[in-house]
Each structure stands twice: as structure tokens, then as C-alpha cells.
Amino acid sequence: MIVVTDPIELKKIVLEWKLSNQSIGFCPTMGTLHAGHMDLVKTSKSQVSKTIVSIFINPTQFNDPKDFEAYPKNTETDLKLCEENGVDLVFLPSVEVMYPKSTTPIQMSIPSLQSTLCGRTRPGHFEGVLQVVSKLFHLTDPNIAFFGLKDYQQFRVVSALVTELNFPIQIVGVPTKREADGLAMSSRNVRLSPKDRETASLIPRMFQLAKKTLHGGEKNILIWKEILTDFLLTGSNVKIDYLEIVDPITLQPLSQLSGELLLATAVFVGDVRLIDNEILVSP
Ligand code: PAF
């Protein structure tokens, strides 16, 4: 496995691979890798000849500097996991390399997809994601890029980015990997205290309740939302950032329960912010 910190070195290797007709899969990450990330790698390896993983905690997508400071870092373990899982190249740039002092700030946004969910409660977050993902796409020049569907809004925003700006890249969404109790795997889970980890299982159980009540005939979207909100709030140390029911394509709020819908939530358990979502069909 090759580990590269320098973008010029990375571009050289990518060019060599391209010239020898190798297809490239790209899995962007912020490290503290887990089995969910390795599912991105496995999917990539099944579809292309070379797999690149980037590990970069991107400061421009954190609206809260404290959240950036607290974001876990485990480079040594990450590299070991990548090696064990057959990653061909890890790109491990520094902040200075990605954003040199001489940088002229650039801002991108896709307003219609950013007005709800995380875009509403984390102002500036998707501007940062669009900026770093565009840079990483130019540097890694992949044929296919793999994104976890736990960050469903990010998947939609990046899909729109490649369509609107004609990036010749296919975006593939990989299903959320879950712990035994259903909690979505996340690099942030390592920050939960044992008690808060137990409380966090309310999130997957809320999705079970959502399915049960939806199929039990609940038709009123406001009542449904109230039932689910009340359930989450039974946990001590829980604060709901949002619980929204939106169209899975436009991400705009729905006013009634019919057809396909995206139920998405962000919940603080203690000071750890966890997100999850599911696409459900109202009968
Ligand atoms: O999903 C993430 O880990 C990040 O948002 C990404 C795509 C690596 C960009 O920094």
C-alpha cells in the first residue's frame, strides 16, 4: 500500500495508473475508520482496479471549532485497517497542503439541497464539503467515488455537484453499516460514554417505531413526528437537533404521509452529534 502526503506525488501515480488503463475508485474519509468505511473499500474493490482512500479532517466543513478539535484521530490504526483491506493508496494530506496560506477562499453551495436537515442546522457545513470534495476529486481523478448513505444529504449534494459541474465521475451510495443494536456506525461513536452509548440505541429503535406506526396506519405527519420525537426524548442526555420528513430527491419537507419519504434525524447524546436516516414508503 502506498501512503502519499503530497498532492503532486499523488497526481503522478494517478496519471501512471490512468496511462496503464487502470480504473480508479475513491473513498473519501475523515479517518477513525470502521467497518462502514471498509464497506466503501470492499464495494470499490469489486468495481475498479485501484482503490484510493483519503484521510483528511477537513476544517472548512466544521461550523463549530470545538467539534473540529474534538473530532477523533487514529492515523496508525487507520493505515493498518486500509492495508489489511487491500487499499492501494492512502492520501493523507495536511491542512497546510490542502489549504496553503496563500489560498484565495472559494465558496460553493447548492442552496435547494442545503436548506434542510444538516444544511439548516450546520451553516457552512456543505460549503466546506463541496470545496474539499471538489479538490479531492481533481487530485484523485477517480472513475467512481463511494459515499456512505448514513450521510444521505451529503450523498445528494455530491451527486448534484458532479452532475451540475460535469465531473466525469460516477457517485455510488453504500448502505449504512450498523452495530448489533442497530446504531449506525460512525467515527463519532468512540466519543460516547458507556451510558450514552446505551442511550444512543434509541435512534435505531425510533426508526423501528416509525415503520411500525406508519404501517399501522398513521396518516397524520404532525402526529407521527410527535410520536417519534417523544420517543427520542425518553432518553436522558438527549437533545434533538432535527427530526425531519423530506422528499428523498429534493430534500424538501413533506406536508403529508404518502409514497416514498426520507425520515432523517440528528441527535445530540451528551455532546456527541449522531445522524441517521431511512427511506420509508407510506402504504
Ligand atoms: O463524510 C465524510 O467523512 C466527509 O464529509 C468527507 C466526504 C470525507 C469530506 O470531508
Side-chain angles (χ1 to χ4, degrees), residues 66-251:
K66 275 196 238 133
D67 191 24
F68 175 62
E69 288 305 320
Y71 203 84
K73 214 181 212 168
N74 286 294
T75 312
E76 221 172 282
T77 326
D78 288 347
L79 290 177
K80 210 164 148 245
L81 204 58
C82 286
E83 176 117 58
E84 283 165 7
N85 283 271
V87 171
D88 296 284
L89 185 150
V90 175
F91 180 47
L92 196 64
S94 64
V95 174
E96 291 70 30
V97 156
M98 289 299 278
Y99 302 112
K101 284 268 180 294
S102 57
T103 298
T104 311
I106 187 165
Q107 205 176 66
M108 305 164 79
S109 69
I110 306 179
S112 70
L113 294 179
Q114 290 175 219
S115 58
T116 54
L117 313 174
C118 295
R120 184 171 60 75
T121 65
R122 295 183 73 189
H125 170 66
F126 285 111
E127 282 81 352
V129 169
L130 285 164
Q131 178 186 27
V132 78
V133 167
S134 300
K135 285 165 82 80
L136 291 168
F137 280 175
H138 285 303
L139 294 170
T140 55
D141 196 13
N143 301 85
I144 314 180
F146 300 87
F147 286 81
L149 290 174
K150 177 172 73 67
D151 297 272
Y152 183 86
Q153 189 174 22
Q154 172 170 275
F155 167 73
R156 286 288 304 120
V157 164
V158 172
S159 301
L161 169 77
V162 299
T163 305
E164 297 306 323
L165 296 187
N166 305 94
F167 279 87
I169 301 172
Q170 185 194 342
I171 303 298
V172 170
V174 178
T176 305
K177 185 100 174 163
R178 297 181 178 281
E179 303 286 355
D181 65 353
L183 181 67
M185 287 191 183
S186 163
S187 306
R188 293 173 189 266
N189 290 355
V190 297
R191 293 187 49 228
L192 291 165
S193 69
K195 188 161 176 284
D196 287 346
R197 171 62 189 81
E198 225 172 87
T199 305
S201 74
L202 275 172
I203 302 169
R205 285 192 278 136
M206 182 276 289
F207 282 97
Q208 292 302 329
L209 178 64
K211 273 180 251 176
K212 199 169 138 205
T213 43
L214 198 61
H215 292 281
E218 185 53 66
K219 285 281 166 220
N220 186 312
I221 199 162
L222 293 176
I223 294 176
W224 193 52
K225 197 169 163 176
E226 202 174 297
I227 293 171
L228 304 178
T229 304
D230 287 349
F231 181 77
L232 283 176
L233 292 177
T234 57
S236 64
N237 230 2
V238 166
K239 205 178 105 212
I240 299 176
D241 187 30
Y242 66 75
L243 181 112
E244 290 189 41
I245 300 135
V246 299
D247 179 280
I249 303 298
T250 65
L251 305 187

